[in-house]
């Protein structure tokens, strides 16, 4: 399993999304702009879903670690949108935990493949 293989254009797009996320996060933090903070929260969801979809495309089957990671990332991304709409701290926390678990699964899969 090569977890680093994939479309260069897709990888660049996700990298651009992540960089843009951090730029808007810095702006929102510095200016305390509530609209920018909302954009950051939505960006978190978009990035999680995009990375989850990319991992799902690389997974080897329903029982692979990448599939679990992809599911966690996608669920976390969707819950990020729910957290924006509902302003629920519990949903926001669950979203973050799922994304963290998804990243952990990816790191484990990459470590195991080497």
């Amino acid at each position: 399993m090569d977890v680093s293989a994939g479309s260069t254009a897709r990888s660049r797009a996700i990298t651009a999304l992540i960089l843009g996320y951090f730029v808007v996060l810095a702006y929102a933090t510095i200016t305390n702009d509530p609209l920018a903070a909302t954009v950051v929260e939505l960006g978190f969801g978009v990035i999680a879903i995009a990375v989850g979809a990319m991992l799902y495309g690389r997974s080897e089957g329903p029982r692979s670690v990448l599939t679990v990671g992809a599911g966690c990332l996608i669920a976390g991304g969707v819950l990020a949108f729910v957290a924006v709409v509902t302003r629920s701290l519990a949903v926001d926390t669950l979203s973050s935990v799922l994304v963290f678990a998804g990243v952990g699964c990816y790191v484990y899969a990459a470590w195991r493949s080497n």
Side-chain angles (χ1 to χ4, degrees), residues 10 13 15-17 20-21 24 28 44 62 72-73 77-78 84 90 98 101-102 114:
R10 189 178 335 149
T15 301
L17 278 172
Y21 169 81
V24 178
F44 182 78
C72 287
L73 285 165
V78 170
V84 169
L98 284 170
N114 288 328

Side-chain angles (χ1 to χ4, degrees), residues 3 5-7 10-11 14 17 44-60 66-78 99 102 106:
V3 295
S7 166
R10 189 178 335 149
S11 295
I14 290 175
L17 278 172
F44 182 78
V46 169
I47 291 168
I49 292 169
V51 173
M54 185 178 66
L55 286 184
Y56 184 76
R58 294 180 184 174
S59 65
E60 296 176 341
L66 286 182
T67 302
V68 173
C72 287
L73 285 165
I74 292 169
V78 170
V99 169
Y106 172 75

Side-chain angles (χ1 to χ4, degrees), residues 16-99:
L17 278 172
I18 293 169
L19 290 174
Y21 169 81
F22 283 114
V23 168
V24 178
L25 176 64
Y27 172 79
T29 302
I30 292 168
T31 63
N32 203 21
D33 182 352
L35 178 60
T38 301
V39 170
V40 166
E41 293 172 22
L42 293 173
F44 182 78
V46 169
I47 291 168
I49 292 169
V51 173
M54 185 178 66
L55 286 184
Y56 184 76
R58 294 180 184 174
S59 65
E60 296 176 341
R63 292 181 177 229
S64 78
V65 175
L66 286 182
T67 302
V68 173
C72 287
L73 285 165
I74 292 169
V78 170
L79 285 178
F81 293 125
V82 173
V84 169
V85 172
T86 64
R87 291 290 173 206
S88 168
L89 183 59
V91 174
D92 188 41
T93 302
L94 180 58
S95 169
S96 296
V97 168
L98 284 170
V99 169

